[in-house]
Amino acid sequence: MSRMLHARLDVGALLSALAVLVRPGGRCLLVGNAGPGGVAAAVVKASRRYPPGAWRVVRQTACASGGIACEVVQLARLGEAAPRPGRLEKARGKVVLEPGFGLAAWLRLSRGADLTGGVGPLEEEEEEAWPKWSLADVASHTTPEDSWMAVRGKVYNVSPYLRYHPGGADTLLDAAGTDATALFQQHHAWVNEDMLSACCVGTLRQ
């Protein structure tokens, strides 16, 4: 199986999903942009953790796609079969998501959607005109139905994403109402937060 990875994808979530689909002994090919900060490097790094012990990097090969320097990462599936989706249990720190709540489903749902919880969609090219929220504003949104957090200077309504989060809804709710940038950097440094762009409600007032 082969796929060109986009920077906004959650690489850890993708590998966790593939661990369910690919049987032990099977292999898959992932293609991403090259370089120390590229998606291919993120795949190699994430393969050690998502989920732990599931993958071995067999080979990395340079290639080009549309004039862009890329790398093909071949992964071999190790260990026992991963739990099937639908069982809401923790597996080595990862939550097995319900059917229909994986990464691909989230990307379909959020493409062009307004998931701001009533604030209204924001135009990317008009960021200067976006609403500006204080940390006190963010801290007033901490329920599952109304959860906000700040990441890298932007404020997001994460309620629609709770059931899609690979680490489970509880870990997001623990950070609701806060500036979660440090946590995001710790666990998802290679992830582009633009995958939550449909949930963006404005910027964090400094």
Side-chain angles (χ1 to χ4, degrees), residues 21-184:
L21 298 174
V22 180
R23 295 180 179 180
R27 297 190 178 190
C28 64
L29 297 177
L30 300 175
V31 183
N33 55 311
V39 175
V43 168
V44 173
K45 180 179 178 181
S47 68
R48 306 185 189 108
R49 300 177 54 197
Y50 294 101
W55 300 107
R56 175 174 63 86
V57 177
V58 177
R59 183 179 297 111
Q60 286 180 255
T61 307
C63 66
S65 176
I68 299 173
C70 299
E71 285 186 83
V72 179
V73 181
Q74 185 181 77
L75 298 175
R77 179 72 170 86
L78 305 175
E80 300 177 355
R84 299 300 302 176
R87 294 165 58 192
L88 297 179
E89 61 187 11
K90 293 222 173 171
R92 296 186 182 180
K94 301 293 287 183
V95 171
V96 181
L97 300 176
E98 299 170 80
F101 289 91
L103 175 62
W106 172 255
L107 294 177
R108 286 194 300 270
L109 172 67
S110 61
R111 186 178 298 117
D114 174 14
L115 302 178
T116 62
V119 173
L122 306 178
E123 297 295 333
E124 186 174 350
E125 61 273 13
E126 298 177 3
E127 185 171 336
E128 288 297 320
W130 287 4
K132 294 177 173 56
W133 308 98
S134 67
L135 270 178
D137 293 325
V138 177
S140 67
H141 299 267
T142 58
T143 67
E145 298 77 20
D146 182 30
S147 298
W148 287 16
M149 67 176 58
V151 177
R152 296 174 179 168
K154 295 180 181 178
V155 180
Y156 299 91
N157 168 38
V158 297
S159 292
Y161 185 60
L162 293 177
R163 297 176 73 183
Y164 297 84
H165 184 234
D170 288 346
T171 57
L172 278 186
L173 289 172
D174 286 345
T178 71
D179 184 345
T181 300
L183 279 173
F184 189 91

